[in-house]
Amino acid sequence: MSDGKPAVGVESDVEKGLSSPTNSQSESEKPSAPGQTERQETGTDGQGTVTDVPKEVLHRKLKGRHMQMIAIGGSIGTGLFVGSGGALESGGPASLVIGFILIGVMLFFTVHALGEMAVLYPVRGSFYVYSCRFIDPAWGYTMGINYALNWLTVLPLELTAAGITLNYWEGAKSVPISAWIAVFLAAVTVVNLFGVRGYGEVEYVLGITKITAVIGFIITGIIINCGGVPTDDRGYIGGRYWSDPGAFRNGFKGFCSVFVTAGFAFAGTELVGLAAAEADNPRKSLPTATKQVFWRISLFYIVGLTIVGLIVPSNEPRLLNASGGNTAASPFVIALETAGIKALPSIFNAVITLAVMSVAVSCTYASTRTTHALADEGMAPAWFGYVDKHGRPLFSLAVALGFGCLAFINQAAAGESIFNWLLALSGLSQFFTWASINLAHIRFRHAWKLQGHSLNELPFRSAGGLIGSYIGLGFCLIVLVAQFYVAVSPLNKPSTAANFFENYLGAFILIPFYVGYKVWSRDWSLYVNLAEVDLDQGRRDLDLTEELEKEREERRQWPAWKKVWHLFC
């Protein structure tokens, strides 16, 4: 926390969630140019007179294509390509698909809820700021710390996983993992030195690569399942593996165990909302990007994993090693190897390596923007908020890359144990983040109605509305309960205190931050007064009623097919 106590009353920036200047519509619509500054009200001229001091800001350089690729392919890595193998082994193909569908439905509503708020308030810190503003400053602060810690601890995991993926090739095994970690960490550093535009371009290229690879795998998987590969002596497979060894494994506990893997695989879906503050035109690019999350859920996860469950048996011994970046245990690689297709397993392994690097870059982006926003709201040391003239939060970046160096801990004797406990700190982070987004949206909608606003004033409306957010919040709570059950009685592990906290430490780590903020701020209210929240602060567009009505009138004239297309694209 910073040295000074932030105001948490009705008039405070913390409660209002202010993160961007909103003086006028014409000024706010202009994208930030290099060196563009905003004014802060503290500073002196050296003689005790208070003056405006220029402050560098994050640049708005993410184009529509960047936002769309962040939504579709961003942060897809080991959770899908490797971790899904462990979920297949523990829960079976039916549990794998059903678990991912349920989490996917929850994420669909969650991202739409986030998109509605982010289009209206494209502020730095996004969902953490919305929690401060519409729920409670202490809860918002806790969610900001939770989100930053999540990505800070995942970064060394992804760097290690990237190194492990290279061990798939015999020629790379002679090189120590630490050397590969150093190479990948240097690459992540270089990408981040190019600022937000560098992040956008890398995600765009790697996103296209991942999309192409998954579509190629789906087509290949269908051919394998139909017996169309001459080198595969299994012939026609069909639904054979759903009968033997079976659709479900390890009963209800096996089904519950899939949820955490699904949560890890879907992690980062909300990044499109975090990037809103650096989008050049969020009102145009964010709705499209938000709606395209549907294709990410459907294509990558549901269709891709359905194919995996059809052509890889859940009792395949190699799946037992599905941890970290061990791509030899990836069900995608196993499927291609079992079919005897030359070269394709190596190609897909290369795609996984690039996907892991993509996640590592996203880790750095997410953590730096969150810590920067925390500092900007007076909830973290002020130096985290420093931004250079190129729009890079350098001190936040230095801390993130410092956490990346924790990847080298794996080389120590007790490295694996230390690493597991570091990861346990953020094991449930995503579900708390998603629950908070839905709750913030629910309270935002109530505040919007309470203060006499109409839904027609919203530039973008969530496809699920309030009901969708209640469903999303309910799903998150159910998953947290299911994970508590698995933590108390782990699958294929003894019920010990160590195993419990390895699975559920992420929930308990939030308590000291929440209580600590309450004690520090001396504000013991449980939630903000929605009638007193300033709904105009933080809006980049203050009055779009006439323009929005013209757009809606135009859409009413569209044919049915175009309306359906617009719903998902």
Side-chain angles (χ1 to χ4, degrees), residues 492-554:
N492 301 322
K493 289 183 180 180
S495 298
T496 63
N499 284 332
F500 172 79
F501 283 108
E502 276 194 16
N503 284 285
Y504 223 75
L505 181 62
F508 295 100
I509 204 67
L510 301 180
I511 298 174
F513 289 109
Y514 179 79
V515 175
Y517 188 91
K518 286 292 187 185
V519 172
W520 181 59
S521 65
R522 296 190 291 276
D523 175 14
W524 296 100
S525 58
L526 294 179
Y527 48 83
V528 299
N529 187 340
L530 296 180
E532 297 176 338
V533 172
D534 189 339
L535 294 174
D536 287 331
Q537 291 284 2
R539 290 173 64 178
R540 196 176 288 186
D541 299 303
L542 292 178
D543 188 7
L544 290 171
T545 306
E546 185 176 339
E547 183 178 346
L548 291 174
E549 186 53 41
K550 287 181 179 179
E551 291 178 0
R552 292 190 183 101
E553 181 58 35
E554 180 184 346

Side-chain angles (χ1 to χ4, degrees), residues 298-540:
S298 302
L299 179 66
F300 279 90
Y301 296 102
I302 309 307
V303 177
L305 292 178
T306 298
I307 297 297
V308 162
L310 288 172
I311 60 179
V312 178
S314 57
N315 61 354
E316 164 62 52
R318 286 173 287 182
L319 294 175
L320 293 170
N321 299 316
S323 61
N326 184 13
T327 48
S330 164
F332 292 83
V333 173
I334 290 173
L336 298 174
E337 286 182 338
T338 304
I341 305 175
K342 301 295 183 182
L344 275 186
S346 288
I347 293 174
F348 211 91
N349 187 75
V351 170
I352 295 176
T353 303
L354 292 175
V356 174
M357 276 303 300
S358 169
V359 177
V361 173
S362 294
C363 287
T364 312
Y365 178 82
S367 62
T368 55
R369 270 49 182 186
T370 304
T371 52
H372 170 267
L374 284 166
D376 211 45
E377 296 295 342
M379 291 180 165
W383 48 271
F384 275 118
Y386 171 75
V387 178
D388 71 357
K389 65 180 181 179
H390 299 291
R392 299 171 298 194
L394 291 183
F395 286 112
S396 293
L397 179 59
V399 170
L401 295 175
F403 265 81
C405 293
L406 292 176
F408 294 106
I409 288 178
N410 276 316
Q411 306 307 302
E416 184 176 353
S417 177
I418 296 172
F419 210 62
N420 286 339
W421 282 108
L422 283 173
L423 292 174
L425 293 175
S426 56
L428 299 173
S429 171
Q430 293 296 329
F431 292 104
F432 282 106
T433 295
W434 297 331
S436 189
I437 290 171
N438 284 293
L439 180 58
H441 180 248
I442 290 169
R443 287 183 57 79
F444 157 71
R445 278 289 190 97
H446 285 306
W448 193 255
K449 182 179 180 180
L450 184 65
Q451 297 189 28
H453 289 278
S454 165
L455 294 181
N456 288 330
E457 298 176 57
L458 297 176
F460 171 69
R461 253 183 270 175
S462 165
L466 264 180
I467 294 176
S469 292
Y470 277 114
I471 292 174
L473 177 60
F475 263 121
C476 288
L477 296 179
I478 290 172
V479 171
L480 289 172
V481 171
Q483 180 58 14
F484 183 82
Y485 166 62
V486 174
V488 171
S489 180
L491 186 64
N492 301 322
K493 289 183 180 180
S495 298
T496 63
N499 284 332
F500 172 79
F501 283 108
E502 276 194 16
N503 284 285
Y504 223 75
L505 181 62
F508 295 100
I509 204 67
L510 301 180
I511 298 174
F513 289 109
Y514 179 79
V515 175
Y517 188 91
K518 286 292 187 185
V519 172
W520 181 59
S521 65
R522 296 190 291 276
D523 175 14
W524 296 100
S525 58
L526 294 179
Y527 48 83
V528 299
N529 187 340
L530 296 180
E532 297 176 338
V533 172
D534 189 339
L535 294 174
D536 287 331
Q537 291 284 2
R539 290 173 64 178
R540 196 176 288 186

